[in-house]
Structure formats: C-alpha cells, structure tokens
Amino acid sequence: MSTVWKKAFALLALVAIVATLAACAAPTPAAPVVQTKVVEQTKVVEKVVEKPVEKVVTATPAPKPGADAFIFGAQGEPVCLDPAIITDGISSRVTRQIFEGLVKFDKDTFNVVPQLAEKWDVSADGKTWTFTLRKGAKFHDGTEFNADAVLKNFDYWRNTKNPLHAAQEKAGQTFEYFKNQFWGFDDASIFAKIEAVDASTVRFTLKEPQGPFLNNLAMFMFVFWSPTALEKAGTNSCKQPVGTGAYKFVEWKANEQVTLEAFADYWDKPNVAKMKRVIIRNIPNNSARLLALATGEVHAMEGLEPRDVDAVKNDKRLKLLLRPANTTGYVAFNYKVKEFQDLKVRQAFAMAINKKPIIDKLYGGTGQVAWQFQPPAMWGYNKDLKDVTFDTAAAKKLLADAGFPNGISKVTFDGKEVPLDFWYMPVSRPYYPNPKDIGTAIAADWAKAGINVSLQTVDWSTYLDKRKKGELPLYMLGWTGDNGDPDNFVCYFFCLDAKDSPKPEEGFFADKEISDVLKKAAATVKQEDRAKLYQQAEKMIYDKTIRVFMGNNQPPLAFLAGVDGYIVNPTGSEYFNTVVVK
Amino acid sequence: MRTVSPANNSDEIARVLARPPRSLWRDAWRRLIANRLARLGMAISIFFLLLAIFVPVIFPYNAKIDSDLMNQLLDPSLEHWMGTDEQGRDVMNRIAHGAQASLGVGVSAVLIAVIIGTLIGLVSGFAGKWIDLGLMFLMDILLAFPGLLLAIAVVALIGPGLRNALLAVATVSIPVYARIARSTVLSIKEQEYVTAARCVGSPSTRILFRHVFPNSLSPIIVQGTLGIAAAILEIAALGFLGLGQQPPYPEWGAMLADSVKYLTSGAWWVLLFPGLAIMLTVLGFNLLGDGVRDALDPRLRVD
C-alpha cells in the first residue's frame, strides 16, 4: 500500500470522525428518545440540522421574511389549537392571540380585568355572578359575540352529553382544565345554572362559593369559540381556531410554524395588533433558537440556556426580559416506597441537598431558593417558614435514627426491593432550566449523605405518563402558576377527591388534614381568610416534608433590541398585539 | 513455494533448512513495527488502553459524590489542566476515567462480536446448504440496517445503560465478522490440505477448528482492530444520545452531549477535550488496524 493511500486513509478516518461527531452534535432534543418511533426521530434530527452552526461565525442577518411580522421562536410544536383541550404553554401561546375570555390578567400581573365582559357583579353570598358582555365584539368569521356564544361554549366544556364534547372525549381530546378548575363536568361541576339574562348579560349560579372563581375565568382555556366555527370544525377544532382575538389564524405548518394575521375588525380599537402578522416558529433546540435570534431569523424567543443569560444581557443587539417568579421546581416522593413513609427519611433527603449553589450556579442567575410550594409573591405564601439548614451530618444521623445507619441505596417500592431510582426530566422547563445538571447535583449531595440513587430519565411524554400512574419512586417536576391563585398551586396537587383516595399522579399522596384545609380555603371567598388557610397548609406541607421544594425561577425571554411593547406575564402566556418590531 | 532441485549443491539445501523457522505471526509483527503510521496508531491505542486499565486502579474515583458547583466551569489552569465542567468536576479526571467506559466497552463489544460472528461464519461456511442459507439470511437482515440506527433500536428495546449499549454495539457488528469468516472458509475448504484431512478421516469439527479456523483468522483480526475504532465511536454516539452511560458516570460521548450547550458561550474546554479523546482513540485504532492489514497481507510477505 502506498503511503499516499495511507495518508488518504488517515484523512478519511478523520473526516469520518468529525462528520459523525458533527452529526451527533446536531443537538438531539435534550431528551434521550427511547421510543422506537424512528420516523419521528429522524424528523427531529433533520430539523435541528437545518440551522448550520456557521451562521454565528458569518453573523450576516438572514433576509427578513417580511418586515411586517413578529416572529417568535418557541421551544416546540403546539399540541392543538383548541384552548379548551390543551394544557401546555407552547399551544396556549398561539391560542392566546386568537381567543379571548370574559376577563383577563392585566399586563404583567395577576390582577383580573375585563376583556369580553364589560363589568360584573357578585352576590353577597358569593354564589351568583352576573357578567355584562361587551357589545360589538365580533368573531373572526363575522359571527356576533353575545350571551348565546358564551352559553354554547360553556355547554361545550361542561356538558358531557353535548355531541361535540362527547366526540372530543372519544377522540382522546379531553377537557382537563375545566374539570380541575370547576370541579368536574355536568352536575358535579360547581355550576348550578348558567343562563342568559338578555343578549348581553350572562348569569352563573354556583353551588357553593369558589374563592378563585374570577381568576379561573381569566385562564387561557376559558375563552370563546365562534359557535358557528366550532360547529363546522367539530373534532377537527385543533386545526381551525376561530375566536375574537387581535390575531386570526392563517395556517399551521406541522413542525415548522404557525402563522397569524391581524384581525381588522378587532373590537378594542386602541389595541388593534401593531404588526400585520405573527409567526410562531418551532425550534426545539435551545442553542439553535438563540442562533436564530442572533441572526435575526426570529425576533423573540423563550427557553434560554442558563449559561446564555449573561451573554444575552451583555449583547447590545439583544435584550432580556424576566417573567416574574411564578414557578416552583420540586422533588417528589412516592409514598408507595415504604422508606418514604417515614418522616425522618424525608427530612434527611431534604436536609442533604445544598440548594444555594444549585440555584446560584445552574439557573443562570434567574432563580431563588424555595422551601414552600407558592412563590414569595403569592398571597398565600407563609413568611414565617425558614428553609431547613443544609447539613450532611445531620441528614446521616436522621437516616441512622430511622434505621438506615449505612445509608439508603435500595428501597421497598410497592412491596418489591429495588434500587432507588431518581428520575430527572428529559426537557428543560421554566421551573428547572436544566434538569439533568440539577438532578446530577442533587444526587451528588445525597450521595455525600449516604443516599445512593441512580439517575434515570425517559422521553417527556413517557415521563409524564409514568408520573401520572405513580410509577416513579422519586422524581423531579414543577409547576408554573396559571391564575395567580394559591389554589392553583397547592390544591391542584394536594386536594384529595371526595373519597380521600391516594392520588397516583402525586406519588400516592394522601393526607386528609392538608387536603381538608385546602378545600376549606377554596370554598372561602374572603382573601384574608383564605390566605391564613393557605399559610397553614404550607406549614403542614413543610413540617411533614411532603415534598422537597428546590427553587423559584424567573424564566428569561430574549429579544432583538428593536422589539418593543412585549409585556411579560407570570402565567407565561402573553398577548402579542402590543408588540412592535423596529 | 521454493523448490530446491536435487542437482544443486547441498550447501544451499543446508542453508535453507538451517534457517530458523519464521511464522506468519512473527513476520507480520516485524512488518507492523516497521510501519511508521502503525507504530503511531499502536502508541495511541496503548496509551488509552493503559489509561482505561490503570487509572481506575491507581486513582479510584467516586463519580457519585463528585460535584462542586462552586468550581463550576473554571478555565484550564495548573490545578485543572483541562478545566472543570458545569458540576465543577475536573475534565481531565473524567476523561481519564471515561476511557474505561469508552475503550473497555468498545473492546469487549468487538470481542463478543468476533467470537459469535466468527462461530456463525465458520459453521455457516463449512456446513453449507440450508444452515448456510438460514444463518446468512439472518445476518443479511441485521446488515440491512445502518449500524447506529440498529444499535439505537436495540437500546430502545432493552433500555439505556452502558451494558446495554455494549450489547447493542456487539449485536450490530456480528454480521460483519460472520460474513468475513464465511467467505474465507468457503475458499479454504476447497484447499488440498482440507481434502487431505478429510481423506485421512478427520472428523468435521477437527477439520474446522484445526485447519480451517487458524487459516481464516487474519482477515478477522484486521477487521477486529478496525472494528474497535468503529465500536468506540458508536458507544460515544449512544452516550451522546443519552442511551449509553448514565449520569453521573463519565463517558466521552455523554460528556460531549452535556457540553454542547456551551458551544455558544465560550467554555470551549468542556467540548474540546472529550472530543479530542474520541478522535485520537479512533484515529489510533484506525491507524493500527490499517497497519495490521498491511502486515497480514500474504502478498506482501518478504523473506
């Protein structure tokens, strides 16, 4: 063999390695995809590759795809565009622009202000709510907005005998939020009666007072469809949204983007959309999305790597906005694990974690340490509680007292002895900006106290599914508040059903005392009284170490310097009609 | 073959007969040593093999408790030659310990694949008929998939983890060795010495393992050496996808995956060094494999 050939071979090997690595380096969705859906997976990889890295080097702004559009880089693909069905933030970002409800959250707060209702009255007993509707609001298809439309929408959400409701359920498109916020469907729901007093007045009669009622109505899912359009769309409602919002739906290119267009007949004339179009692009990879922003392909993005927060702050061409802290990340115990039924063991787990460095170093400077479920700004927050002191030795001692002098590495889960698996999320969420790193750091802290866990993960939908079934012995997850009411944080997780049966989706949590306090708080109307109850509940949760709360994060958003008028809302779903791109 | 005519002088005969016997292996070794690139490849491979074998013994490392966030992402310095990663762990330390995962698994995967693959190939080629058809049909099915994709599918079936990644990579490479073994067997079994053995009445197994097997070894050795490089790359790719070594244990591919997010933010050391480690090892084994191929080529034999 000639030396030339050999050299060529060596070179080839090099190229092959580099090519393979580059192919790998085309960042996978941070999640290890363990499912065998090979077709889908290839799609993801293709998409990621489409943004070559060189763009950063050359840094020539890509030709603007239309100067009249506001382009938002989202972390993923919408699931569905029927707001009544969805539960996720990526879908609700789109539906927020298209649909409106009776009331909304004002600007960057949880203050409830009128939207399609002009004003409302509540009876002294808190059971009768009368809303006066705005006149002259039109749906995108020209249908008039009136009491009839409100009633038809409520029937669609609440009445399981409504043909479309039934058809949606049958198609696996469920009304999860309605069920949660209004306590069930049909007669089980909190509504005794919903009636139209006249064409522009709607009256809700509740079976009992509900503290967070108005906040619930302001959530992204209780917004109104054009009744005619809904009827036409049927079970295809995910693909043909029609509301009264400032933008109307144009098209949804799967795995690529959703395009919206300003609605000329919008009722709120001063707030007609400033930009002609809105394009919400799907760029799953955090770094690729930032590159797209740097090159001007998108005007705004969410889901910054913590490490990139500073870089954005220091870049004159970009700017950074933080959403007010309304998220809490936690580590949850599964109470089917025999060891976790012992308070001392749970306390040891909580005490062994050194939260401060984790929050400081792995949240990109946007996080703060948490030790109760509600973020500090929430009115149910208990100011008297102090975080447990990080103390490895004390944690070891607690474990020894509980009968584990040599630490814990195996547990009895559902009657079987298994190694203790600690599950970390495969994707970054606002409450855990990089779960793998955070999980690794938590596991290392535990290991120093003799708690030997093995880190596990699986793709996101399987992860959530396993959690729902209560199959994860010890796991990371968190919550972003939807409506500014403590109920939405604490009760959502710790209120038990009528039979007080353990909740598999919350690790078979079943504490009647806590649940009773929370239910009482939800049925109380006066905020001061409610606040006391929530503070009491937080103390009980803390004393019993039901969960280990890790941190509250202020999710960062990055913009081109020329983008103005974006108002961050703690719910994470914002209106784009005020945005201007210069 | 050299024929010595009886008419020639006996001195010549005596000289040839007195020459110390030179085996194929000895010859090959000398040619390998003489090859500059192969020497380089060997040096690199041996360096990383020594790392993989001795580092865990001499410097025990408990990955489970290794996290010191206060020293997060330090630049390379005298204290941390290759800097530290997002957990504040020494990158050089993790690369040294990661060698065990990458190389150990790469080499074992190839060994498993060579043993099983060769056995299948030998049996298939020697037995012929429907056994050959059936076995090769199976191998062709495996060969029809791109290697890495098949490995991903295997891991998806049996779950992520280093041991499962090893099995996946081994499974994927079996058909290569089976094919090579079979094709050499097919040519060897027509040789006269095999016919001779059969005439003497040797049983099939004896012929297979005494005569056919040793003579079909060299192409398998060549492929095996090159295969180690490919296996290391596949292990790293699986690790990168999160299907191989699980955190917190070090493995080069997984280290790369953890560091990709720093591509835009200047912490080059967490990305460069694991990448270099993979590249060098693969290059080393490729050069070595190339040298072995040259060395074992009977046409290049000199005396």
Side-chain angles (χ1 to χ4, degrees), chain B residues 113 116-121 124 131-145 150 170-180 182:
Chain B
I116 299 179
T118 311
L119 218 60
I120 292 177
S124 178
I131 296 182
D132 184 28
L133 263 178
L135 283 175
M136 281 307 120
F137 183 68
L138 277 180
M139 292 300 111
D140 283 347
I141 291 177
L142 285 180
L143 263 183
F145 294 98
L150 186 59
T171 315
V172 169
S173 6
I174 286 174
V176 179
Y177 301 102
R179 275 274 170 202
I180 292 174
R182 176 177 173 273

Side-chain angles (χ1 to χ4, degrees), chain A residues 116-127:
Chain A
L116 287 175
E118 263 175 345
K119 58 180 170 117
W120 58 87
D121 284 314
V122 58
S123 65
D125 62 358
K127 285 188 184 172

Side-chain angles (χ1 to χ4, degrees), chain A residues 219-233:
Chain A
M219 290 166 73
F220 72 77
M221 60 296 297
F222 306 120
V223 291
F224 302 116
W225 270 89
S226 154
T228 40
L230 181 61
E231 206 169 311
K232 218 187 286 168

Side-chain angles (χ1 to χ4, degrees), chain A residues 104-372:
Chain A
K104 67 167 182 178
F105 298 116
D106 195 23
K107 300 201 170 80
D108 56 350
T109 67
F110 277 124
N111 301 336
V112 177
V113 296
Q115 194 168 34
L116 287 175
E118 263 175 345
K119 58 180 170 117
W120 58 87
D121 284 314
V122 58
S123 65
D125 62 358
K127 285 188 184 172
T128 314
W129 294 76
T130 314
F131 289 85
T132 308
L133 307 182
R134 202 171 288 285
K135 291 193 188 84
K138 271 205 176 85
F139 289 104
H140 302 151
D141 63 351
T143 313
E144 201 80 32
F145 170 75
N146 53 24
D148 182 52
V150 175
L151 257 53
K152 279 191 174 143
N153 273 281
F154 267 90
D155 196 61
Y156 168 51
W157 304 332
R158 171 171 167 256
N159 182 0
T160 52
K161 293 198 189 66
N162 177 314
L164 185 50
H165 182 110
Q168 296 279 34
E169 292 269 359
K170 209 172 160 199
Q173 319 203 98
T174 60
F175 300 79
E176 201 176 320
Y177 260 112
F178 187 89
K179 191 175 163 200
N180 268 313
Q181 303 308 122
F182 296 122
W183 306 1
F185 299 118
D186 299 327
D187 291 339
S189 81
I190 193 160
F191 297 101
K193 201 156 62 166
I194 305 173
E195 59 197 324
V197 179
D198 57 46
S200 59
T201 314
V202 177
R203 183 179 298 148
F204 299 93
T205 314
L206 308 185
K207 282 197 249 166
E208 48 190 303
Q210 190 189 35
F213 183 66
L214 212 50
N215 289 62
N216 282 345
L217 284 183
M219 290 166 73
F220 72 77
M221 60 296 297
F222 306 120
V223 291
F224 302 116
W225 270 89
S226 154
T228 40
L230 181 61
E231 206 169 311
K232 218 187 286 168
T235 49
N236 211 10
S237 63
C238 283
K239 300 260 151 70
Q240 308 164 14
V242 178
T244 57
Y247 283 99
K248 61 180 182 190
F249 176 74
V250 178
E251 70 167 340
W252 175 5
K253 268 194 210 153
N255 285 318
E256 241 177 75
Q257 59 184 41
V258 177
T259 309
L260 309 177
E261 193 181 78
F263 177 44
D265 267 348
Y266 187 51
W267 60 269
D268 190 2
K269 292 298 171 206
N271 286 315
V272 167
K274 300 264 191 302
M275 300 301 289
K276 217 172 204 163
R277 287 183 302 144
V278 160
I279 297 170
I280 294 162
R281 283 190 50 188
N282 168 16
I283 309 176
N285 181 267
N286 286 353
S287 308
R289 205 175 323 111
L290 182 58
L291 291 182
L293 182 72
T295 54
E297 276 178 61
V298 300
H299 300 131
M301 64 165 277
E302 63 163 359
L304 268 180
E305 280 294 338
R307 172 86 186 168
D308 291 328
V309 170
D310 268 341
V312 171
K313 235 186 251 171
N314 298 332
D315 193 329
K316 283 207 186 78
R317 298 169 305 150
L318 305 176
K319 68 178 175 191
L320 188 81
L321 288 179
L322 299 181
R323 285 201 186 109
N326 182 37
T327 62
T328 307
Y330 57 75
V331 174
F333 301 107
N334 189 321
Y335 290 85
K336 272 217 172 151
V337 174
K338 205 175 116 234
E339 285 77 0
F340 291 155
Q341 291 160 9
D342 187 340
L343 173 62
K344 281 186 186 142
V345 173
R346 299 200 300 270
Q347 282 173 333
F349 272 70
M351 202 173 275
I353 303 175
N354 194 2
K355 292 181 192 168
K356 183 98 175 68
I358 294 178
I359 305 292
D360 286 352
K361 297 290 183 179
L362 296 175
Y363 277 66
T366 59
Q368 63 203 33
V369 174
W371 52 90
Q372 48 188 306

Side-chain angles (χ1 to χ4, degrees), chain A residues 1 24 28 361 436-437, chain B residues 72 87 240-241 258 261 294:
Chain A
M1 223 182 275
C24 301
T28 59
K361 297 290 183 179
K436 187 180 181 184
D437 292 345
Chain B
Q72 186 189 46
Q87 298 281 348
F240 188 92
L241 294 171
D258 287 343
K261 54 179 180 263
D294 288 358

Side-chain angles (χ1 to χ4, degrees), chain A residues 367-398:
Chain A
Q368 63 203 33
V369 174
W371 52 90
Q372 48 188 306
F373 208 152
Q374 298 167 65
M378 196 74 79
W379 48 262
Y381 184 81
N382 190 334
K383 293 195 175 64
D384 299 331
L385 296 179
K386 293 274 165 293
D387 198 8
V388 284
T389 328
F390 159 67
D391 191 338
T392 305
K396 267 188 189 160
K397 194 170 167 301
L398 268 174

Side-chain angles (χ1 to χ4, degrees), chain B residues 11 13 19 53-54 81 88 110 119 126 131 140 165 181-183 206 278 281 299:
Chain B
D11 279 359
I13 300 170
R19 194 182 66 184
I53 295 167
F54 290 108
W81 289 7
V110 168
L119 218 60
F126 197 69
I131 296 182
D140 283 347
R182 176 177 173 273
S183 67
R206 185 183 160 86
I278 297 174
T281 327
R299 278 166 302 178

